[in-house]
Amino acid sequence: MHRPVLLVVAHGSRDPRHARTVHALVERVRALRPGLRVETGFLDFNLPSVPGVLESLAARGVQDVVALPLLLTRAFHAKADIPAVLREAPARLRIRQAEVLGPSPLLLSALERRLYEAGLTPADKSSTGVVLASAGSSDPEAIAVIADIAREWWRTGWCAVRPAFASASLPRTEDAVRELRALGCARVAVAPYVLAPGFLPDRIARGAAGADVLADVLGPAPEVARVLLERYDAAALPLPAAVGA
């Protein structure tokens, strides 16, 4: 039985670091699952485009595709943009849209990995306040998910965890940093809950000027690659047979 092709659907950016990071993450996925065909398509700014990849796959005789949104929350792109693009795919393709990456315990592990790489140690947790800084969204569901992740992460032993947003929502990163200072945390760290560098991550970095530690973006962390494969595997399961078939 042929496994569906995994099509990683990235947003795209004018910032060249974005595409480089996406490709590095996809290479890590390929290394974890050597027998799986993995393609990358971008919604905007970068090539190959998602429609172009789908046309190419159809022309090469591919029939089954799992389209995986390279997104951390189910906001507008996952609910509207990506389904609209997939509906325009060649009719011969059977496409299933996988769930977005977050939330996942593996992503919390990746966030901690980045904080430790930036200089913290597990012994610092109880005295460190963390700003969980995401890109932001006007979608209430996405905002609620970020708040839930912050609460869950705090329960693992941090002094405090506060959500912050680079756009569309409040508070901003700098406001959350000040709040954690006022709360009495011995040190403050900013953990960008974003996948790749770009305009909004740069805004998060500027807002972290008053923090003690700024972690890197999640990027091609091994935990992120594992989440991609988890989402792929769930979407690639055989569809249940119809009753009475």
Side-chain angles (χ1 to χ4, degrees):
M1 174 182 148
H2 291 292
R3 295 284 281 168
V5 171
L6 169 56
L7 172 58
V8 176
V9 179
H11 183 273
S13 170
R14 292 186 178 90
D15 189 321
R17 296 173 298 169
H18 174 90
R20 285 200 299 268
T21 303
V22 170
H23 290 308
L25 174 58
V26 169
E27 284 304 314
R28 190 178 284 275
V29 171
R30 291 188 177 117
L32 288 175
R33 191 73 63 85
L36 177 63
R37 181 172 179 179
V38 186
E39 302 288 344
T40 308
F42 295 90
L43 292 174
D44 209 351
F45 302 117
N46 302 104
L47 292 174
S49 68
V50 174
V53 174
L54 292 172
E55 292 282 354
S56 176
L57 290 173
R60 295 182 183 189
V62 170
Q63 293 182 325
D64 292 291
V65 176
V66 168
L68 195 155
L70 200 59
L71 300 168
L72 295 171
T73 58
R74 281 193 77 251
F76 180 78
H77 293 302
K79 294 177 179 178
D81 280 2
I82 293 175
V85 171
L86 298 180
R87 282 194 296 270
E88 298 301 317
R92 67 169 294 163
L93 292 177
R94 293 188 294 263
I95 303 177
R96 292 178 239 176
Q97 182 175 328
E99 290 295 326
V100 297
L101 302 183
S104 166
L106 284 170
L107 294 179
L108 286 182
S109 297
L111 287 166
E112 293 213 5
R113 170 192 291 274
R114 293 302 188 224
L115 286 172
Y116 297 150
E117 289 170 350
L120 292 180
T121 70
D124 296 323
K125 285 186 77 166
S126 62
S127 58
T128 301
V130 179
V131 178
L132 179 67
S134 77
S137 173
S138 57
D139 188 310
E141 178 187 351
I143 298 304
V145 166
I146 299 300
D148 287 343
I149 293 169
R151 281 191 292 271
E152 180 181 347
W153 203 16
W154 167 69
R155 293 190 186 104
T156 68
W158 296 99
C159 173
V161 180
R162 294 289 185 271
F165 307 95
S167 68
S169 312
L170 295 174
R172 295 284 182 259
T173 301
E174 53 269 33
D175 301 324
V177 169
R178 284 193 291 268
E179 180 185 349
L180 291 171
R181 290 276 186 225
L183 196 62
C185 298
R187 65 186 65 76
V188 175
V190 174
Y193 189 58
V194 292
L195 287 166
F199 175 75
L200 293 178
D202 285 349
R203 181 180 287 177
I204 289 171
R206 290 193 297 272
D212 302 293
V213 173
L214 170 63
D216 199 358
V217 299
L218 293 172
E223 297 88 350
V224 180
R226 286 167 58 198
V227 176
L228 259 75
L229 288 171
E230 283 186 358
R231 299 293 185 256
Y232 168 81
D233 288 339
L237 288 172
L239 296 173
V243 176

